[in-house]
Amino acid sequence: MEPLRQDGPRPVADGDGQVLAGRYRLVSLLGRGGMGAVWRAHDEQLDREVAVKELRVPEHLDDAVRRTWIARLDREARAAAGLRHPGIVTVHDRVTGDDGRPWIVMELVRGRSLDDLLKAEGRLPPAAVAQIGLRLLDALRTAHQAGITHRDIKPANVLLENDRVVLTDFGIAAVEGDATLTGTGAVLGTPAYMSPEQVRGQEVTAAADLWSLGATLYTAVEGRPPFEGAGTGAIFIAIATQDPAPPAHAGPLEPVLRALLHRDPSQRPVPDSLHAQLTRVAQGGAPAQPTLLLPPAQPPVPPLPRRSARSRKKKVVLLALVAATTALMLAITVTWAVTAIRERQGNQRYEANVSALAELGTIPGHSTELRRTYDNTTVEVESTLCEYESVDDGCNLQSQATAVVNWFRTQNGVRSVLLKPPTEEPNTYPSRSLVVLTQSSPRITEVIVYDDEHDHKIMLSFTVG
């Protein structure tokens, strides 16, 4: 979603005088995103300007998916409305339009986004970036203490209004206690600012927000994000398997960024240490050693006092109780260890699959997405090869299947490629399946090129095992 702003790009449309809930008159369109649009509006009851977020649901969605989209917007309203902080955009109201779609009414931030500022003026000095980081960290603390993980921190969602720094767009926030609204394997977030655990499809915690904060601050001080690539798939692979390039302009902010962008969530800084580090940089001082950014070690356990001879008679009963407790703890420990080993093995296999994808180079098509499949070890790739308007524009199933076959045959490690004959199955999209044999593991287990007639696209989907 584009930020809520008044200056910057000129409005691209007007509201044609539309009035919501009998009081909010749409004035001009401020921005448009994947799930909706943001309008400047006038609250005729309180005589003030507000921002109104509109949910735009694609017409082809069925009722179940439509309800999920609406539930996401409702969740954003609940998440942001429950937070009171000058660094978090204020939600005033939630109303329903004549067509049943929900709208969120919020404050109009009279400023521009960090993304707009960087595009207009280039990278910022480390002290200024540290100041922005301090304000965002303070806002994130409030959200995290309320059990809310933002999950989409990026320069476009950071608004600057004089000395105020405002975090907006809680559209995909994870609210503690809420049932998930994300379908299995779905990817939510902005690729360049998604943490490694988000890319891998693992549990997202407050530590993921800190990684995204680090990526945002890196972009602000360097003028580019820490990970870039030819497409979404390349960015995902880089985030999951590589460390970011050392920043060239961060100066005293460099150890802070390095700690925030650690691939292991447990090795990222705790908020108190991070606040102290950012404060030093903002004040023009040198940061402390990076090791101080890690959670403090536990104090040593003092030795137990020696027992008197009189108390030794109770040892038989106590030792029996300790033995039973130890056996129980051992069983729990073994169970936990087996689970941890399986999870680690699954992660290792998934990392190997991601590395195999990296060796394939640029995947055909655009809007490429990677998904961690249900078994938690394999990775699925889906890419839009082309979108057609008519049967004569060259975007047809046969030509695209042939192009995919030729692409696979040029890849290192691919031994042979066979295009299987077309098959007719009821209630399925027209498709062509490929058999791809590789020289070593991990292997490509499934390749399907199919004609998504509903969206007028030809899609490529394959899975690495």
Side-chain angles (χ1 to χ4, degrees):
M1 175 64 62
E2 290 296 316
L4 319 185
R5 57 177 179 263
Q6 186 172 11
D7 58 357
R10 295 177 58 84
V12 297
D14 58 57
D16 296 326
Q18 182 179 354
V19 179
L20 299 171
R23 63 183 291 187
Y24 303 111
R25 183 176 298 277
L26 302 186
V27 177
S28 59
L29 181 65
L30 297 177
R32 191 188 307 273
M35 287 181 59
V38 178
W39 297 79
R40 190 177 80 234
H42 184 255
D43 182 349
E44 297 184 337
Q45 288 189 11
L46 297 181
D47 191 23
R48 64 177 178 180
E49 284 192 311
V50 295
V52 183
K53 182 173 182 177
E54 170 194 11
L55 175 65
R56 294 190 172 182
V57 182
E59 295 181 358
H60 67 269
L61 297 183
D62 58 32
D63 289 341
V65 178
R66 182 185 178 90
R67 286 194 297 269
T68 297
W69 279 53
I70 293 175
R72 282 182 185 149
L73 192 78
D74 285 341
R75 183 169 64 176
E76 175 182 358
R78 290 196 308 272
L83 301 174
R84 293 290 183 270
H85 190 277
I88 297 175
V89 69
T90 301
V91 171
H92 299 313
D93 200 358
R94 187 272 197 200
V95 298
T96 302
D98 294 338
D99 58 358
R101 289 182 299 145
W103 298 65
I104 298 178
V105 182
M106 62 192 81
E107 67 170 314
L108 179 66
V109 179
R110 299 180 182 278
R112 55 179 170 176
S113 72
L114 176 60
D115 186 54
D116 285 339
L117 176 63
L118 296 175
K119 289 177 180 177
E121 302 182 13
R123 62 178 183 268
L124 304 178
V129 174
Q131 285 281 6
I132 294 174
L134 280 170
R135 307 287 175 83
L136 291 176
L137 176 62
D138 199 29
L140 282 175
R141 276 174 156 175
T142 297
H144 294 164
Q145 288 169 1
I148 297 173
T149 306
H150 189 281
R151 300 203 300 177
D152 196 21
I153 299 169
K154 58 185 178 182
N157 284 341
V158 177
L159 307 183
L160 308 174
E161 184 183 50
N162 298 323
D163 292 334
R164 187 181 174 206
V165 179
V166 186
L167 183 61
T168 187
D169 203 344
F170 283 77
I172 62 171
V175 182
E176 191 174 278
D178 261 8
T180 180
L181 295 174
T182 303
T184 302
V187 177
L188 290 179
T190 304
Y193 299 94
M194 291 173 65
S195 67
E197 54 267 36
Q198 283 178 280
V199 169
R200 294 172 182 142
Q202 297 171 340
E203 181 183 5
V204 176
T205 65
D209 278 352
L210 293 183
W211 192 97
S212 299
L213 173 63
T216 297
L217 300 183
Y218 185 108
T219 301
V221 79
E222 291 296 300
R224 60 175 180 83
F227 294 96
E228 297 178 294
T232 301
I235 295 174
F236 279 174
I237 291 168
I239 291 174
T241 62
Q242 302 172 16
D243 294 325
H249 308 283
L253 196 60
E254 188 274 336
V256 181
L257 298 178
R258 178 159 32 90
L260 282 171
L261 294 173
H262 202 292
R263 275 184 285 166
D264 183 352
S266 67
Q267 298 301 306
R268 293 170 201 154
V270 294
D272 288 344
S273 297
L274 177 58
H275 189 277
Q277 294 293 318
L278 288 172
T279 299
R280 290 189 185 95
V281 178
Q283 294 175 349
Q289 292 299 318
T291 53
L292 295 181
L293 290 171
L294 302 179
Q298 296 295 324
V301 179
L304 295 174
R306 300 188 64 177
R307 296 182 180 273
S308 64
R310 180 178 295 179
S311 66
R312 292 175 184 169
K313 294 181 180 180
K314 301 179 181 179
K315 280 188 174 180
V316 174
V317 176
L318 289 176
L319 286 175
L321 182 59
V322 169
T325 304
T326 301
L328 177 60
M329 293 302 296
L330 180 61
I332 294 175
T333 302
V334 170
T335 301
W336 175 86
V338 170
T339 302
I341 290 172
R342 288 176 178 174
E343 182 178 356
R344 183 169 63 251
Q345 290 174 340
N347 288 337
Q348 290 173 345
R349 182 176 172 188
Y350 178 79
E351 295 286 355
N353 287 325
V354 172
S355 297
L357 281 177
E359 295 177 359
L360 287 177
T362 303
I363 298 169
H366 58 90
S367 302
T368 303
E369 292 186 4
L370 271 64
R371 300 186 181 92
R372 190 163 184 167
T373 56
Y374 68 92
D375 64 1
N376 222 28
T377 62
T378 57
V379 57
E380 183 180 65
V381 179
E382 183 175 272
S383 182
T384 303
L385 296 173
C386 61
E387 301 180 15
Y388 62 85
E389 299 294 336
S390 68
V391 295
D392 300 324
D393 62 5
C395 182
N396 58 71
L397 183 60
Q398 181 59 40
S399 65
Q400 295 307 312
T402 301
V404 172
V405 169
N406 293 336
W407 175 77
F408 270 115
R409 286 174 175 167
T410 64
Q411 304 307 308
N412 294 329
V414 173
R415 191 170 60 191
S416 65
V417 183
L418 173 65
L419 181 62
K420 298 173 66 176
T423 58
E424 293 289 338
E425 295 184 15
N427 301 319
T428 61
Y429 291 132
S431 63
R432 297 296 302 270
S433 298
L434 282 68
V435 177
V436 179
L437 299 180
T438 53
Q439 295 175 352
S440 60
S441 183
R443 60 192 180 90
I444 297 171
T445 56
E446 180 183 51
V447 183
I448 300 176
V449 182
Y450 60 95
D451 184 353
D452 187 349
E453 292 180 320
H454 198 70
D455 290 332
H456 303 290
K457 298 178 181 178
I458 305 293
M459 304 292 293
L460 162 68
S461 178
F462 68 92
T463 305
V464 178

